[in-house]
Amino acid sequence: MSAPTTHTTLTIASRRRSFSHLAPLLRARAGWVVLLVVAGLANAGAGLVGPWAIGRLVDELPAGAGEDVVWFCAIAVAVAGIVMALGTWIGAWALAHIAMPVVAELRTDVVDAAMSLESQRIESTGTGDLVSRVADDSRKISEAAAQVLPLVVESLLVVIVSAAGLVAIDWRLGLVGLVALPMYWLTLRWYLPRSEPIYKEERAAFGRRAGRLLGGLTGAQTLRAYRAEEGEMTRIDAASGEARDLSIHVFRFLTRAFGRNNRAEAVVLSLLLIAGFALVWFGESTAGAVTTAALVFHRLFNPIGALVGLFDQVQSAGASLTRMVGVIDEATASPRRPRTAIDRGATAAPALVIEDVWFTYEEDPNSDNHVLTGVDLRIDSGEVVAVVGTTGAGKSTLARIAAGLSAPSRGRAMLANGGTASAGEEPGEDLTALPESVLRGHIAMVAQEVHTFVGTLRENIALPVDEAPDDAILSALDTVGADWARTLPQGLDTVIGDGGQRLSPVQEQTIALARLVLADPDFAILDEATAEAGSAGAHVLEGSARAALAGRGALVVAHRLSQAETADRVLVMDHGRVVEAGTHAELVAAGGRYAELWEAWSA
């Protein structure tokens, strides 16, 4: 069952669930992970050579050591520098082979999941939320993987190795250094529970801002037509202001964390120097050892500061990860059919049947707010049924259910199998229970809004049938009267879509109808599929639609009553109910609702 549509956003996964989704992706690259850790440990260990060399010089030069000690320490530091350079390069190389493929696979999983979500779910949350997750959150994780993750891994390994080195120099000084742990822990204990909700709210605000911007850009023409630009700009400004204020709040919050971190460093370094002075005073340690310990601890300032400083970006990326995995989880929880090739071996269905179908967008299927109420419909093979009615009558919802894209809240939508009913119900297979390959072999839908993808004309038409031969594609174009396709500069190789060859609405719609012909389903669902043609192209496109429907059953949501006039049967809908049914001639003669519509249309 799909997620309840009462949510204002798509699902947000838990942090544990999000990282468990990454675990198998990381295990597949275990070799690179081991190489990264080895290189990081070598790099961090080489960083201790400098403090060790200075400590040795502090002890031995006053005691009269010669230049041999200086040369030895200098060579050791130089070798350590080479090791650090190699370790940094190898670590970056290994991390690139870990992070970039993982991010790419995650992005692919999210896009794949987003494409399987039901449209009413996306409409209920707003397209901005989904676009923000696929675009903004994906970009945030990519940036974190490329810029933040290398610093975090390096800093973490430096902290671990340096802490071990401090204990190795003098265990008593190491104990003093441990005083930093509870202070850092208190900082994190204060920081972590407050940071996650702040960063989640910040990312959600970015999503709302993206939704407002997207709506303003895509609806610019409508805004100009109604002179509503100022009002929409006010709403965009409010959404942007909310995102800005949250970002400022996050920055202030982060500076407080820095202050707590710096206090811990100052206190522990002071204690370390005091303890070291006492150990030297009583002859328990050397000045060189204390110097080395102080330098090693000082060396921790930058990586620990980096860990805390980058934690906001890590938290922000973590919030983005939970939002992206949330899309995957929601798609997994919803009924999902694998996208496979059309099953050409499917037996032709004798009828498309809708029995006592009720539908509501509410979570409760027994809600009184129904879009469809007790609709019954049977479309036999080769029969064309037109559906007419005012806006909001439930026509498009009926079309989606007939196409198997939405499941009824009550009742059945099925393909009749021609068997004998045993309990008063016609036997058949529910549309939402059929495998995708079988369903697409029987039913195809053409909606009012047609999308042309960036690619060749061949690729756009062959969407339902991968690697369809050119003669089949040309035959489909000829069937729908798309003679214009043969006049394109590169024929089927002409690039269309954004940045490609510009096509008229009529041409784009004939591409959709050609896809239908190429798919060759038993039944076709046309949801106002000729509405975008305008008056000038209506006659041409309606002829193309009739040619595409020849020999197959069809449910046509009619934008023009001329489509209903040529249909075998007409349904008139009002407030989710079928109020009239019959042929065009019968309904006109009956003098009811359809007759009124026809009279107005004819006039």
Side-chain angles (χ1 to χ4, degrees):
M1 180 178 293
S2 61
T5 56
T6 52
H7 295 174
T8 56
T9 62
L10 295 169
T11 301
I12 297 178
S14 67
R15 192 169 295 274
R16 174 176 294 183
R17 163 68 189 121
S18 300
F19 284 105
S20 68
H21 183 82
L22 291 181
L25 302 179
L26 293 174
R27 282 196 297 268
R29 296 162 180 83
W32 291 106
V33 173
V34 171
L35 180 61
L36 173 65
V37 172
V38 171
L41 291 175
N43 193 0
L48 297 177
V49 174
W52 167 82
I54 294 175
R56 182 174 180 180
L57 292 176
V58 167
D59 280 342
E60 296 193 14
L61 289 181
E67 62 181 12
D68 292 344
V69 174
V70 177
W71 278 108
F72 178 79
C73 291
I75 292 173
V77 170
V79 172
I82 295 173
V83 172
M84 291 179 67
L86 288 174
T88 301
W89 180 79
I90 293 174
W93 181 47
L95 189 61
H97 282 79
I98 298 170
M100 293 302 103
V102 168
V103 171
E105 287 191 34
L106 177 64
R107 185 186 298 111
T108 300
D109 290 344
V110 172
V111 173
D112 181 62
M115 292 176 65
S116 72
L117 292 176
E118 292 190 359
S119 60
Q120 67 257 34
R121 175 63 177 132
I122 298 174
E123 290 168 3
S124 68
T125 60
T127 55
D129 185 43
L130 180 59
V131 170
S132 176
R133 296 184 189 219
V134 175
D136 291 347
D137 290 324
S138 176
R139 175 181 53 80
K140 190 75 176 179
I141 292 179
S142 296
E143 290 176 352
Q147 303 171 16
V148 178
L149 191 58
L151 294 176
V152 170
V153 172
E154 178 184 353
S155 299
L156 187 61
L157 291 175
V158 168
V159 168
I160 294 173
V161 173
S162 297
L166 184 61
V167 174
I169 292 168
D170 192 305
W171 65 270
R172 291 159 296 190
L173 296 177
L175 289 178
V176 175
L178 290 177
V179 175
L181 293 180
M183 300 187 72
Y184 287 135
W185 168 248
L186 290 175
T187 298
L188 288 176
R189 188 177 180 183
W190 173 86
Y191 179 82
L192 290 177
R194 293 170 173 82
S195 60
E196 183 171 0
I198 289 176
Y199 289 120
K200 281 188 176 180
E201 180 59 26
E202 182 187 34
R203 297 306 304 162
F206 289 165
R208 290 189 290 270
R209 180 181 63 185
R212 278 294 179 191
L213 289 171
L214 183 64
L217 291 174
T218 56
Q221 186 174 355
T222 302
L223 293 172
R224 286 194 294 269
Y226 290 96
R227 300 182 182 274
E229 302 98 319
E230 184 175 350
E232 184 63 22
M233 284 301 301
T234 300
R235 290 185 286 270
I236 291 174
D237 184 65
S240 299
E242 180 191 18
R244 177 203 61 218
D245 293 342
L246 279 171
S247 295
I248 293 174
H249 178 58
V250 167
F251 181 76
R252 289 174 176 169
F253 174 74
L254 183 61
T255 56
R256 293 180 64 188
F258 277 138
R260 289 170 175 260
N261 202 50
N262 292 338
R263 180 174 61 194
E265 293 169 351
V267 169
V268 176
L269 184 59
S270 299
L271 291 176
L272 194 63
L273 292 175
I274 292 171
F277 178 83
L279 289 174
V280 174
W281 180 267
F282 290 106
E284 296 294 326
S285 186
T286 65
V290 174
T291 300
T292 300
L295 290 174
V296 168
F297 184 75
H298 187 273
R299 184 172 179 263
L300 292 175
F301 287 5
N302 286 338
I304 291 178
L307 288 174
V308 176
L310 294 172
F311 213 84
D312 67 320
Q313 298 181 54
V314 173
Q315 287 283 87
S316 184
S320 294
L321 178 63
T322 61
R323 285 161 53 83
M324 293 180 72
V325 175
V327 177
I328 298 172
D329 286 348
E330 180 148 343
T332 302
S334 302
R336 181 176 181 177
R337 312 181 189 96
R339 286 188 290 276
T340 57
I342 293 175
D343 185 356
R344 293 298 178 185
T347 303
L352 174 60
V353 179
I354 291 177
E355 289 184 345
D356 192 27
V357 163
W358 297 61
F359 184 84
T360 177
Y361 287 103
E362 302 293 336
E363 181 178 0
D364 182 6
N366 297 317
S367 168
D368 293 333
N369 186 20
H370 281 91
V371 181
L372 296 179
T373 306
V375 175
D376 290 299
L377 172 64
R378 177 188 176 95
I379 304 175
D380 291 316
S381 179
E383 181 185 22
V384 177
V385 176
V387 182
V388 301
T390 58
T391 301
K395 305 185 299 297
S396 293
T397 302
L398 177 62
R400 289 187 56 81
I401 291 176
L405 298 178
S406 295
S409 302
R410 290 160 52 187
R412 298 181 69 195
M414 61 182 180
L415 288 171
N417 58 24
T420 303
S422 58
E425 291 186 351
E426 182 162 5
E429 298 178 275
D430 287 353
L431 300 184
T432 54
L434 289 172
E436 177 73 4
S437 59
V438 176
L439 179 65
R440 289 174 58 205
H442 287 300
I443 304 174
M445 181 175 183
V446 180
Q448 175 180 346
E449 297 180 0
V450 177
H451 185 76
T452 51
F453 297 88
V454 177
T456 65
L457 178 63
R458 176 189 294 103
E459 293 168 341
N460 269 269
I461 296 176
L463 284 177
V465 182
D466 293 335
E467 300 181 359
D470 286 359
D471 57 351
I473 295 174
L474 291 172
S475 176
L477 287 168
D478 291 339
T479 299
V480 297
D483 298 333
W484 54 267
R486 296 182 180 272
T487 66
L488 292 175
Q490 286 83 38
L492 294 179
D493 293 318
T494 301
V495 176
I496 60 176
D498 291 341
Q501 177 78 30
R502 293 181 62 86
L503 300 178
S504 69
V506 173
Q507 291 173 330
E508 290 181 340
Q509 199 71 47
T510 55
I511 289 177
L513 293 172
R515 291 171 184 159
L516 173 66
V517 173
L518 190 64
D520 193 24
D522 298 328
F523 298 93
I525 312 297
L526 271 58
D527 186 6
E528 297 191 349
T530 63
E532 294 296 322
S535 299
H539 178 72
V540 173
L541 200 51
E542 286 174 12
S544 299
R546 286 194 296 271
L549 297 180
R552 66 183 101 253
L555 176 67
V556 179
V557 177
H559 179 71
R560 296 175 175 81
L561 290 190
S562 54
Q563 296 171 282
E565 183 182 14
T566 59
D568 299 311
R569 188 154 44 99
V570 180
L571 301 184
V572 182
M573 295 191 67
D574 185 45
H575 292 91
R577 296 180 181 272
V578 177
V579 295
E580 291 182 347
T583 66
H584 168 77
E586 291 170 348
L587 294 179
V588 170
R593 178 71 58 84
Y594 182 81
E596 295 175 0
L597 294 173
W598 178 255
E599 182 178 357
W601 171 262
S602 301

